[in-house]
Amino acid sequence: MFSRISSGVAIAFLATAITCSPVTSTSRDKQSIARPDIQPFPHNAGRARPFSPSRNATCHVAAQDSGADDSAAILSAFQECKNGGTIVLDADYTIGTALDLTFLDGVDIALSGSITFTNDIDYWTANAFRYDFQNSMTFWKIGGKDVNIYGGGVGLIDGNGQAWWDAFAANNSLLRPIALVVDGLEGGSITGLRMINSPNWFNLIANSSDILVSDMVLEAKSANSNPVKNSDGWDTYRSEYVVIQNSVIDNTDDCVSFKPNSTNIVVQGLVCNGSHGISVGSLGQYVEQYDIVENVYIYNNSMSNASDAARIKVWPGVHSELEPVLSGGGGSGYVKNVTYERYESNNNDWAIEVNQCYGQSNTTLCELYPSNMTISDIYFIDMWGTTSSKHDPKVGTLVCSSPEQCFNFHAKNISITSPTGKSEWICANFDTSDLEGFNCVADV
Ligand SMILES: *[C@@H]1O[C@H](CO)[C@@H](O)[C@H](O)[C@H]1NC(C)=O
Ligand SMILES: *[C@@H]1O[C@H](CO)[C@@H](O)[C@H](O)[C@H]1NC(C)=O
Ligand SMILES: *[C@@H]1O[C@H](CO)[C@@H](O)[C@H](O)[C@H]1NC(C)=O
Ligand SMILES: *[C@@H]1O[C@H](CO)[C@@H](O)[C@H](O)[C@H]1NC(C)=O
Ligand SMILES: *[C@@H]1O[C@H](CO)[C@@H](O)[C@H](O)[C@H]1NC(C)=O
Ligand SMILES: *[C@@H]1O[C@H](CO)[C@@H](O)[C@H](O)[C@H]1NC(C)=O
Ligand SMILES: *[C@@H]1O[C@H](CO)[C@@H](O)[C@H](O)[C@H]1NC(C)=O
Ligand SMILES: *[C@@H]1O[C@H](CO)[C@@H](O)[C@H](O)[C@H]1NC(C)=O
Ligand SMILES: *[C@@H]1O[C@H](CO)[C@@H](O)[C@H](O)[C@H]1NC(C)=O
Ligand SMILES: *[C@@H]1O[C@H](CO)[C@@H](O)[C@H](O)[C@H]1NC(C)=O
Ligand SMILES: *[C@@H]1O[C@H](CO)[C@@H](O)[C@H](O)[C@H]1NC(C)=O
């Protein structure tokens, strides 16, 4: 039986408001921007966004010249305005010192200028904030309650990634910082910013709830033959009620990735290019851990020139080491109630990929140790477009470890063709009876 999920409550869409203030405090000022009124649209994550009162103080940060470190001035502005203020960043700033900004309560960050992180690899390797989760680290972290970061379409965050990609090409153990981590934020928004060249993931939303991301432009491009590495657009982790929408992403890794304990998430209106898809996972990487991804609605997006459009990746049921920075497996948990609806695929290697043998090339091992993660209540609705020639005539691959680990898969109105006009799907180890119109073939 095929049943359509109910959609969230629509809230009127209001465009980003940009106002020019006649007041300028230094000659370096670009323009001041007002807080935009951007709402989740057309779907919300299942509950209304918390009220965010207007701010009652302003802390303007003056920039130094010639790339000198502005971190101290930025930190003191946050300390001064941490309770109910607006931090105005309207010039070109350099951050060369790790910043812990997780003490905020009711703060707006109006970034109409730019923030560039230094590429001092020795400093950041020793001083960036570290997380156990996937060996990640970050230049800075923002958290607390009710924080709005907005760029009015002109604000820029530059991760200065080239030096990191060059160094990684010579040393694949090098850990690289994430451009923006929101850690432990209850209620907030990140809108109207351009982000370029993150050394690692662009954004990690962790330990957070009720976050809206909208009207962003993300772009990672290498200037030489060393590839951009791990430039995920957004990763959600231990977070709920998150909406990511109306943004353009040009990168080389996941456009959006739902990491462990991502629940009640909406992704809508994204235009992604060159990525690894909008991905659930990877999950089940850590033996001791229980991972949940549940109630995820991925609506009205387009994906081009990527390895995958829709992707669900979980590790096999045993731990093993594949690469120094990619090892794992044996973790348990579940993926449940995930919907991909209205999804355009242009020239992606796979339109849909479901894989319970992630991070492992030894398929014998995956058959011996089925994944400890179940995948169920999965919907693919209204997908259209093309795949690349890579797997022609095949357009998708859905391979589970066993029918006990994958159930209630549904597909409806899927129209995807390979360059030769064929559309074969690899389907293995689950009930395919509700994949309408799928031409399933064996995995050979
Ligand atoms: C400013 O706003 C904060 C947070 O809403 C509030 O706690 C504080 O009392 C306000 N301060 C003034 C001077 O109104
Ligand atoms: C590679 O990077 C790692 C992590 O920063 C470091 O410990 C190691 O010394 C580096 N190796 C070389 C050969 O530079
Ligand atoms: C999330 O919260 C946990 C528990 O407080 C903490 O250990 C971790 O560092 C936080 N951030 C991330 C990214 O895991
Ligand atoms: C789909 O998203 C695009 C932006 O990529 C937007 O312009 C369009 O209005 C959205 N359509 C629907 C039906 O939500
Ligand atoms: C899109 O992705 C492809 C493949 O990675 C890349 O060649 C291209 O430059 C990207 N951007 C645009 C706008 O085409
Ligand atoms: C995810 O949530 C479950 C249930 O609350 C919990 O048992 C588990 O430890 C959490 N996992 C992570 C990675 O935080
Ligand atoms: C499934 O997730 C959608 C959001 O994607 C939500 O609206 C719906 O209530 C969820 N269904 C169940 C049974 O929880
Ligand atoms: C996909 O890649 C091709 C070739 O690089 C490019 O012309 C096209 O614009 C890309 N599509 C998007 C949506 O960027
Ligand atoms: C693959 O895994 C199986 C089971 O653990 C093992 O016996 C075999 O040697 C592995 N093959 C390779 C090439 O590592
Ligand atoms: C994980 O799966 C293996 C077999 O594949 C099983 O022996 C083990 O008990 C499972 N662990 C958990 C926590 O479910
Ligand atoms: C099938 O999907 C296409 C593309 O989204 C849409 O235009 C069409 O209305 C859908 N057909 C049905 C019967 O839902």
Side-chain angles (χ1 to χ4, degrees):
M1 248 267 315
F2 184 90
S3 67
R4 201 180 177 93
I5 57 146
S6 65
S7 57
V9 181
I11 296 180
F13 176 77
L14 295 155
T16 310
I18 301 175
T19 54
C20 291
S21 159
V23 183
T24 53
S25 50
T26 78
S27 59
R28 292 180 54 84
D29 282 0
K30 290 185 170 168
Q31 56 184 301
S32 67
I33 46 175
R35 183 203 288 185
D37 186 358
I38 301 177
Q39 299 297 332
F41 184 80
H43 299 286
N44 73 11
R47 70 184 185 197
R49 291 183 45 68
F51 177 63
S52 179
S54 59
R55 309 312 185 204
N56 55 24
T58 299
C59 291
H60 179 268
V61 185
Q64 304 172 75
D65 287 320
S66 65
D69 187 3
D70 294 305
S71 306
I74 291 173
L75 180 59
S76 64
F78 274 93
Q79 278 157 346
E80 181 148 352
C81 262
K82 67 175 186 240
N83 193 343
T86 298
I87 315 292
V88 177
L89 295 164
D90 57 3
D92 297 322
Y93 306 91
T94 299
I95 294 184
T97 306
L99 287 178
D100 180 348
L101 306 172
T102 52
F103 51 80
L104 311 180
D105 185 355
V107 170
D108 278 15
I109 303 169
L111 173 60
S112 57
S114 68
I115 288 175
T116 302
F117 293 96
T118 59
N119 58 13
D120 182 343
I121 293 178
D122 292 340
Y123 170 79
W124 291 112
T125 297
N127 295 286
F129 302 107
R130 298 272 182 125
Y131 295 113
D132 291 341
F133 178 65
Q134 296 196 332
N135 278 324
S136 51
M137 67 183 207
T138 184
F139 296 123
W140 60 339
K141 49 182 176 177
I142 291 176
K145 238 183 109 181
D146 181 21
V147 176
N148 301 304
I149 310 171
Y150 42 86
V154 292
L156 172 72
I157 295 177
D158 182 349
N160 220 342
Q162 191 70 48
W164 294 93
W165 305 325
D166 293 348
F168 184 81
N171 178 0
N172 73 356
S173 298
L174 180 71
L175 304 180
R176 289 153 289 117
I178 300 167
L180 177 60
V181 172
V182 164
D183 190 356
L185 180 58
E186 280 172 49
S189 62
I190 305 169
T191 60
L193 288 168
R194 196 168 157 242
M195 300 181 76
I196 61 171
N197 298 336
S198 182
N200 196 348
W201 304 338
F202 274 100
N203 295 278
L204 172 62
I205 298 171
N207 299 318
S208 296
S209 56
D210 299 293
I211 307 295
L212 171 65
V213 174
S214 192
D215 299 77
M216 303 283 288
V217 177
L218 272 49
E219 189 180 7
K221 278 242 182 323
S222 176
N224 59 35
S225 60
N226 296 322
V228 170
K229 287 304 291 184
N230 310 103
S231 56
D232 293 15
W234 292 271
D235 284 19
T236 57
Y237 176 59
R238 291 176 161 161
S239 293
E240 59 179 1
Y241 299 102
V242 176
V243 176
I244 299 170
Q245 66 179 19
N246 299 344
S247 298
V248 178
I249 302 90
D250 203 339
N251 71 345
T252 65
D253 206 323
D254 295 323
C255 187
V256 183
S257 169
F258 313 105
K259 304 287 191 190
N261 290 18
S262 294
T263 54
N264 298 292
I265 315 273
V266 170
V267 172
Q268 56 195 351
L270 300 192
V271 177
C272 307
N273 178 57
S275 80
H276 288 172
I278 297 178
S279 309
V280 175
S282 67
L283 303 172
Q285 183 171 5
Y286 303 104
V287 177
E288 302 297 319
Q289 208 172 279
Y290 195 81
D291 296 345
I292 299 170
V293 169
E294 190 170 17
N295 302 341
V296 177
Y297 189 49
I298 300 148
Y299 174 76
N300 181 39
N301 301 285
S302 92
M303 179 64 63
S304 302
N305 302 309
S307 64
D308 304 87
R311 186 175 191 188
I312 301 176
K313 45 182 176 177
V314 307
W315 291 75
V318 67
H319 181 94
S320 66
E321 196 129 331
L322 192 69
E323 289 172 29
V325 290
L326 191 69
S327 68
S332 49
Y334 62 86
V335 176
K336 190 173 157 70
N337 189 23
V338 174
T339 300
Y340 289 88
E341 180 170 353
R342 264 192 79 83
Y343 203 170
E344 179 179 358
S345 170
N346 300 307
N347 191 42
N348 303 305
D349 298 340
W350 295 120
I352 299 175
E353 177 175 12
V354 176
N355 179 359
Q356 285 193 320
C357 185
Y358 182 73
Q360 184 51 256
S361 52
N362 183 343
T363 51
T364 313
L365 183 138
C366 286
E367 279 159 20
L368 271 172
Y369 303 97
S371 178
N372 293 33
M373 303 264 328
T374 61
I375 304 178
S376 69
D377 304 334
I378 307 298
Y379 299 84
F380 301 104
I381 309 169
D382 299 355
M383 285 182 68
W384 71 97
T386 60
T387 49
S388 72
S389 58
K390 186 163 181 189
H391 306 290
D392 196 342
K394 299 184 177 72
V395 297
T397 172
L398 296 85
V399 177
C400 291
S401 323
S402 79
E404 286 74 45
Q405 300 307 89
C406 283
F407 46 93
N408 294 341
F409 276 52
H410 314 273
K412 188 177 185 164
N413 192 24
I414 309 294
S415 167
I416 303 280
T417 47
S418 67
T420 57
K422 301 206 176 71
S423 59
E424 293 179 4
W425 299 83
I426 300 168
C427 312
N429 295 324
F430 70 102
D431 178 358
T432 61
S433 61
D434 203 28
L435 304 183
E436 289 183 19
F438 270 45
N439 174 18
C440 281
V441 298
D443 188 5
V444 282

